C-alpha cells in the first residue's frame, strides 16, 4: 500500500521572535518580475525605500541597505569606523551581545565586556535578565582618561532574553562622562516593533535586519548612520570593500547601488514601509506593547518567571519563559511543535534548555496570540509540568479589556 507523507492542515504557527510571519501582500510584492537594477524604474524604487526606511529609523541621515543578514550589518558597522587594535566597550545582555563581541575579537579589535556579575535565584546570569546598566557604562568611560575606547556597543532588544534596554540612557551616560566614543546599537529585533529614535537618542550607527518587525524574509540588513560615524569612517583602517559606506551612500543619492542589490526583496521592503508608515509608527509601537502585556498576563497566570526580571524593560517583541528546574525547555518545544504545529524560540547560549521564547511581533493579531498561548498551555499539561492554569483566560481577559489602538480609533 502506498504510504503518503502526512502534513498538518491549516497554517503553521510561526511564533519565534524572527523570522516573523510574512504578510501575503509582501509575498505578492516579492513575486513581481525582476527589473533592470540600472534602469529608471529601479532608481525610483531605490529612492522610495531609502526615504521610507529613514522614517522607520527616525533619522534624517543616510541608511545603508545591504543584501545580507544582520550579522553582515554587524561587521559593516565595525569595519567602517574601527581600526585594528581599537578598544571597544560592549555590554553583555544575552546571546546576541556575546556573538557581536566575538565578531569584534575576530576582526582584530579589543572588546571589553561589561556585565552584571553573578547569577540570581533562578541560577541564570543576572546580566541576561536585565538591560544595559547605563551607570556601569558611565563609570567605565570616566576611568578611560586617555580616551582609548573608540565605541560603546549595546543591543537594544536582546532577542535571546526578551529585554529592551534604554538606549537614551546609554547616550546620557556617554555624554555625562564627557567621552568621544561612538554609540553603536544593534536593533535587529527592535526596529519597527519597539520605539526606536536614531537621531533623538544620539546613536551613531544602528544595525538592523529585515526579518523581524519589518515582516520580510531574511536577506536585507541596515546601517543607519550619523554625521560623526561618516566622518570617523574616513580615517578607519579595518579592511572593507563590499561593506564600505562611501560608495553606497554616494550612489544611493540617485537610488542605485554600486553592486547588484536584492531587487525583489526591495519590492517587499517598499510594501512593508507602506504598511508600517500607513498605520503610523506610534500605533505600531502601541500594538506591540499591548500584545506583549497580554502574553505576559498569561505567563503570570501560569506562575512561571519571565526571563526579563525587570518589568520596566520587558520587550514588546517577545517574552522569554523560564521552565521549572528539571524541565527541558527544548523537549517541551518539540512536543508543542509535533502536537500543535507551533514553533517557539529556543533558549540560546547560557539559556539553552532553561527557557523558551514566545514571539508577539509583526503580522499577528489577538487571536494569533491567544492560539499561541493555548498551544503552550496544552503543551505544558502534556509534558507534566507543574504550573497554574488559566493563561488562556488571562490573555483573553487582557485583550478584551484593553482595546486595540485601531479599535479605539474606529470607536472615536
Amino acid at each position: 500500500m502506498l504510504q503518503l507523507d502526512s502534513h498538518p492542515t491549516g497554517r503553521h504557527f510561526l511564533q519565534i521572535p524572527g523570522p516573523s510571519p510574512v504578510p501575503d501582500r509582501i509575498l505578492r510584492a516579492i513575486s513581481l518580475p525582476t527589473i533592470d537594477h540600472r534602469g529608471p524604474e529601479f532608481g525610483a524604487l531605490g529612492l522610495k525605500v531609502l526615504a521610507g526606511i529613514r522614517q522607520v529609523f527616525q533619522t534624517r541621515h543616510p541608511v545603508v541597505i545591504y543584501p545580507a543578514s544582520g550579522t553582515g550589518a554587524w561587521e559593516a558597522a565595525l569595519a567602517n569606523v574601527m581600526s585594528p587594535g581599537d578598544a571597544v566597550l560592549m555590554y553583555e545582555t544575552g546571546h546576541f551581545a556575546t556573538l557581536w563581541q566575538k565578531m569584534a575579537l575576530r576582526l582584530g579589535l579589543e572588546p571589553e565586556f561589561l556585565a552584571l556579575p553573578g547569577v540570581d535565584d533562578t541560577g541564570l546570569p543576572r546580566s541576561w535578565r536585565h538591560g544595559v546598566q547605563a551607570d556601569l557604562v558611565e563609570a567605565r568611560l570616566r576611568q578611560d582618561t586617555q580616551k582609548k575606547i573608540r565605541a560603546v556597543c549595546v543591543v537594544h532588544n536582546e532577542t535571546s532574553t526578551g529585554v529592551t534596554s534604554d538606549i537614551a540612557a546609554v547616550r546620557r551616560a556617554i555624554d555625562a562622562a564627557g567621552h568621544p566614543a561612538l554609540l553603536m546599537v544593534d536593533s535587529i529585533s527592535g526596529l519597527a516593533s519597539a520605539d526606536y529614535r536614531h537621531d533623538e537618542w544620539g546613536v551613531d550607527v544602528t544595525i538592523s535586519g529585515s526579518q523581524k518587525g519589518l515582516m520580510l524574509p531574511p536577506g536585507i540588513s541596515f546601517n543607519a548612520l550619523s554625521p560623526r560615524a561618516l566622518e570617523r569612517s574616513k580615517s578607519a583602517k579595518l579592511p572593507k570593500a563590499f561593506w564600505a559606506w562611501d560608495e553606497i551612500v554616494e550612489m544611493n543619492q540617485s537610488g542605485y547601488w554600486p553592486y547588484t542589490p536584492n531587487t525583489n526583496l526591495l519590492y517587499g521592503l517598499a510594501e512593508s514601509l507602506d504598511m508600517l508608515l500607513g498605520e503610523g509608527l506610534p500605533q505600531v509601537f502601541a500594538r506591540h506593547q499591548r500584545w506583549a502585556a497580554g502574553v505576559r498576563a498569561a505567563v503570570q497566570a501560569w506562575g512561571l518567571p519571565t526571563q526579563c526580571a525587570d518589568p520596566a524593560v520587558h520587550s514588546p517583541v517577545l517574552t522569554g519563559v523560564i521552565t521549572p528546574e528539571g524541565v527541558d525547555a527544548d523537549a517541551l518545544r518539540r512536543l508543542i511543535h509535533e502536537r500543535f504545529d507551533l514553533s517557539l524560540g529556543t533558549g540560546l547560549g547560557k539559556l539553552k534548555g532553561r527557557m523558551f521564547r514566545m514571539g508577539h511581533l509583526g503580522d499577528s493579531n489577538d487571536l494569533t496570540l491567544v492560539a499561541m498561548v493555548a498551544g503552550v498551555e496544552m503543551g505544558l499539561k502534556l509534558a507534566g509540568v507543574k504550573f497554574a492554569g488559566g493563561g488562556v483566560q488571562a490573555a483573553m481577559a487582557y485583550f478584551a479589556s484593553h482595546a486595540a489602538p485601531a479599535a479605539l480609533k474606529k470607536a472615536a
Side-chain angles (χ1 to χ4, degrees):
M1 184 176 180
L2 181 64
Q3 181 69 39
L4 298 176
D5 291 336
S6 96
H7 297 282
T9 57
R11 288 201 174 192
H12 173 67
F13 279 78
L14 182 65
Q15 300 300 147
I16 63 175
S20 64
V22 181
D24 289 343
R25 61 184 281 187
I26 290 180
L27 290 172
R28 288 193 293 269
I30 292 171
S31 72
L32 291 171
T34 303
I35 58 175
D36 173 11
H37 62 285
R38 296 286 177 246
E41 186 180 354
F42 182 87
L45 171 67
L47 290 173
K48 176 181 179 179
V49 297
L50 289 164
I53 199 64
R54 285 197 295 271
Q55 293 182 62
V56 174
F57 278 96
Q58 301 194 60
T59 181
R60 297 174 290 108
H61 305 299
V63 176
V64 174
I65 302 177
Y66 294 107
S69 69
T71 304
W74 274 348
E75 182 167 342
L78 293 172
N80 275 283
V81 297
M82 296 294 168
S83 297
D86 276 353
V88 185
L89 185 63
M90 309 183 92
Y91 196 100
E92 183 181 0
T93 47
H95 185 65
F96 290 97
T98 302
L99 292 179
W100 199 11
Q101 183 258 358
K102 288 180 179 177
M103 175 182 281
L105 282 171
R106 296 186 71 175
L107 291 175
L109 302 176
E110 295 184 4
E112 178 182 343
F113 223 12
L114 282 181
L116 284 172
V119 298
D120 62 15
D121 55 2
T122 66
L124 297 174
R126 290 178 63 223
S127 198
W128 288 45
R129 299 197 68 201
H130 296 268
V132 176
Q133 305 296 298
D135 59 332
L136 297 183
V137 174
E138 181 180 344
R140 179 63 188 91
L141 292 177
R142 287 186 182 277
Q143 294 170 0
D144 181 30
T145 56
Q146 296 184 20
K147 305 297 188 282
K148 290 185 176 180
I149 294 172
R150 300 288 282 164
V152 174
C153 297
V154 297
V155 174
H156 173 222
N157 188 80
E158 177 55 73
T159 326
S160 66
T161 64
V163 175
T164 303
S165 289
D166 186 342
I167 301 303
V170 179
R171 166 45 70 190
R172 290 193 297 270
I174 297 171
D175 292 347
H179 203 285
L182 297 179
L183 175 56
M184 304 176 71
V185 179
D186 166 350
S187 190
I188 290 174
S189 64
L191 189 76
S193 295
D195 191 10
Y196 192 83
R197 310 178 188 188
H198 178 85
D199 285 2
E200 183 180 328
W201 294 345
V203 182
D204 291 297
V205 186
T206 302
I207 295 97
S208 196
S210 58
Q211 73 275 19
K212 310 283 188 173
L214 290 171
M215 304 176 289
L216 292 162
I220 302 180
S221 60
F222 309 91
N223 279 180
L225 314 179
S226 75
R228 289 182 70 222
L230 282 165
E231 187 62 30
R232 173 79 71 81
S233 70
K234 295 176 183 177
S235 58
K237 303 299 184 186
L238 275 182
K240 53 191 172 293
F242 177 80
W243 303 119
W245 290 338
D246 53 357
E247 289 185 349
I248 302 174
V249 170
E250 181 180 356
M251 287 201 69
N252 278 176
Q253 292 178 14
S254 55
Y256 298 97
W257 272 255
Y259 46 70
T260 306
N262 41 6
T263 307
N264 287 60
L265 281 179
L266 293 178
Y267 288 151
L269 177 59
E271 193 71 17
S272 166
L273 294 169
D274 283 347
M275 294 172 69
L276 292 166
L277 299 175
E279 182 179 357
L281 291 179
Q283 190 156 305
V284 171
F285 302 146
R287 166 164 58 85
H288 283 82
Q289 290 286 358
R290 176 177 170 276
W291 285 343
V295 172
R296 289 197 305 271
V299 178
Q300 184 176 15
W302 293 333
L304 298 177
T306 58
Q307 179 64 35
C308 178
D310 181 357
V313 292
H314 274 304
S315 171
V317 177
L318 73 142
T319 298
V321 182
I322 300 173
T323 53
E325 192 71 38
V327 174
D328 184 344
D330 286 336
L332 174 64
R333 287 177 49 254
R334 285 193 296 272
L335 172 64
I336 292 170
H337 181 265
E338 290 168 1
R339 289 295 298 271
F340 307 116
D341 200 21
L342 165 63
S343 289
L344 301 168
T346 185
L348 297 167
K350 297 176 182 180
L351 306 179
K352 183 71 174 171
R354 285 300 316 277
M355 58 90 78
F356 60 89
R357 297 172 295 148
M358 304 169 70
H360 34 76
L361 71 158
D363 189 34
S364 297
N365 58 36
D366 292 3
L367 295 182
T368 306
L369 302 183
V370 169
M372 173 182 67
V373 169
V376 174
E377 188 159 325
M378 289 189 289
L380 289 167
K381 290 179 180 178
L382 288 171
V385 178
K386 292 183 179 179
F387 74 106
V392 175
Q393 289 79 7
M396 290 193 300
Y398 185 90
F399 291 142
S401 61
H402 295 77
L408 289 173
K409 188 175 181 181
K410 288 178 182 176

